[in-house]
Amino acid sequence: MKKAAVLGSPISHSFSPRLHHYWLEKHQLEGNYEAIDTPKHMLAERLAMLKEAGYKGVNLTLPLKQAVIPLLDNLSETAQKIGAVNLVTFKQGEMNGDNTDAYGFIQNVKSHPSWSDKSLTHAVILGAGGASRAVIAGLQHAGAKQISLLNRTHEKAKQLTEEFSVVTALPWEKRSEALSEASLLANCTSLGMMGENPLDLSIDKLPVNALVTDIVYNPLETILLRKAKERGNPVVDGLGMLIHQAVPAFEAFYGIKVEADEKLRHGLITTKL
Ligand code: ATR
């Protein structure tokens, strides 16, 4: 039986076991996928133990995505660029780190019927944390021509202009004006998430054909997405990114290419999985 897990702390809220078990059942595979609470100081020991026990690999979530890097034998180019790892595979006694978040973001926005290469003309990204790094890496790799980045702490946005050639940093105070020529808008801050402050943003200047997405998926329809939808913009919620990032992980663990189908999404939303 092929075994895999997601490690993090806290971990009980993770959707990953439900995602992977849905696909295991759908494809009638004998496999297991569990959530194992793992604080940072236990990561090295936990990985060694799971490798020894014949696990195929693990997904990582907070607070382990960066902490794992010094423990790995190999790091993919994407993970290196993003500076974070969400997938570790064990092969021939070695630990390999990869990152599928950038892929998840791109696949999610591409799945919208109104997506076209024009969406890559000018992306506006809010936030410059870990999630933002993956989104920028995904957009740059997909061929984005221009990315305007706005972050409350301007220094962090400026730092990213040095790492990603298509990025221009603009002051956080300019976030509403910066939308006037956008073809894509992505909220990569934690604002708008349940229990967090709302995102204070006027989207009046945003072209009505610009695609709007939010990495926040709790609530599924953030205020940003609702406002965008009401004025006619195409919108993509953040749950799809979570589902799509798991697709290459599933293939790495169990050897099968799976689909982010509607039944899975519906099951996650209604918690019927
Ligand atoms: P993640 O890994 O999800 O990206 P993170 O690295 O903690 O999480 O990043 C959170 C992002 O939300 C950051 O861009 C943060 O801005 P700062 O870099 O200035 O901290 C942004 N953010 C969080 N709270 C915010 C607030 N009240 N106003 C504006 N931006 C906020």
Side-chain angles (χ1 to χ4, degrees):
M1 161 146 60
K2 291 177 175 167
K3 292 176 292 187
V6 58
L7 313 183
S9 192
I11 199 64
S12 58
H13 65 281
S14 173
F15 275 179
S16 294
R18 289 155 68 194
L19 284 167
H20 288 277
H21 277 284
Y22 170 81
W23 286 319
L24 284 169
E25 270 171 42
K26 182 176 172 186
H27 295 280
Q28 299 183 328
L29 296 175
E30 260 203 62
N32 195 26
Y33 188 101
E34 49 193 314
I36 309 177
D37 191 277
T38 307
K40 246 190 224 179
H41 70 275
M42 285 179 67
L43 179 58
E45 188 192 328
R46 184 83 77 209
L47 285 173
M49 198 189 81
L50 297 177
K51 188 174 80 166
E52 196 57 34
Y55 277 64
K56 293 290 172 190
V58 292
N59 285 119
L60 298 178
T61 184
L62 287 174
L64 308 174
K65 288 183 174 190
Q66 281 152 348
V68 73
I69 292 177
L71 306 172
L72 300 168
D73 298 297
N74 307 296
L75 190 60
S76 75
E77 214 176 291
T78 314
Q80 216 164 333
K81 192 82 191 147
I82 298 170
V85 165
N86 75 334
L87 171 64
V88 175
T89 52
F90 305 133
K91 272 190 203 130
Q92 282 132 24
E94 294 201 326
M95 286 198 252
N96 313 295
D98 201 354
N99 191 311
T100 65
D101 286 332
Y103 170 88
F105 174 82
I106 291 294
Q107 288 303 115
N108 188 35
V109 285
K110 278 191 174 173
S111 70
H112 194 282
S114 79
W115 170 269
S116 80
D117 282 349
K118 286 201 183 107
S119 311
L120 291 166
T121 314
H122 183 182
V124 175
I125 308 288
L126 306 178
S132 175
R133 296 181 69 93
V135 168
I136 292 169
L139 284 168
Q140 181 162 300
H141 186 254
K145 303 274 181 299
Q146 193 188 347
I147 299 177
S148 298
L149 180 61
L150 302 97
N151 193 51
R152 175 180 60 178
T153 312
H154 191 61
E155 266 314 301
K156 274 167 75 181
K158 265 173 63 187
Q159 172 63 35
L160 289 184
T161 64
E162 287 171 25
E163 296 178 46
F164 296 92
S165 57
V166 292
V167 173
T168 307
L170 299 174
W172 179 242
E173 296 68 38
K174 292 259 170 17
R175 59 195 179 281
S176 298
E177 292 154 53
L179 304 180
S180 63
E181 286 172 5
S183 55
L184 186 148
L185 166 64
N187 174 41
C188 299
T189 71
S190 46
L191 296 171
M193 196 184 289
M194 191 78 80
E196 294 274 344
N197 290 323
L199 171 64
D200 175 20
L201 177 75
S202 158
I203 55 170
D204 291 350
K205 292 200 163 73
L206 183 72
V208 82
N209 58 354
L211 195 134
V212 181
T213 186
D214 205 321
I215 59 149
V216 170
Y217 59 86
N218 182 19
L220 199 55
E221 186 176 69
T222 59
I223 292 171
L224 170 65
L225 294 184
R226 197 181 67 225
K227 279 200 299 192
K229 198 162 132 190
E230 276 168 8
R231 67 199 285 281
N233 285 89
V235 300
V236 179
D237 67 50
L239 183 62
M241 176 174 174
L242 187 82
I243 298 174
H244 281 285
Q245 63 77 34
V247 169
F250 190 92
E251 189 174 1
F253 300 144
Y254 308 106
I256 284 193
K257 225 184 201 90
V258 285
E259 263 181 61
D261 58 47
E262 199 43 48
K263 193 172 166 208
L264 168 57
R265 191 183 145 81
H266 188 255
L268 289 175
I269 295 169
T270 56
T271 67
K272 274 200 203 120
L273 290 177

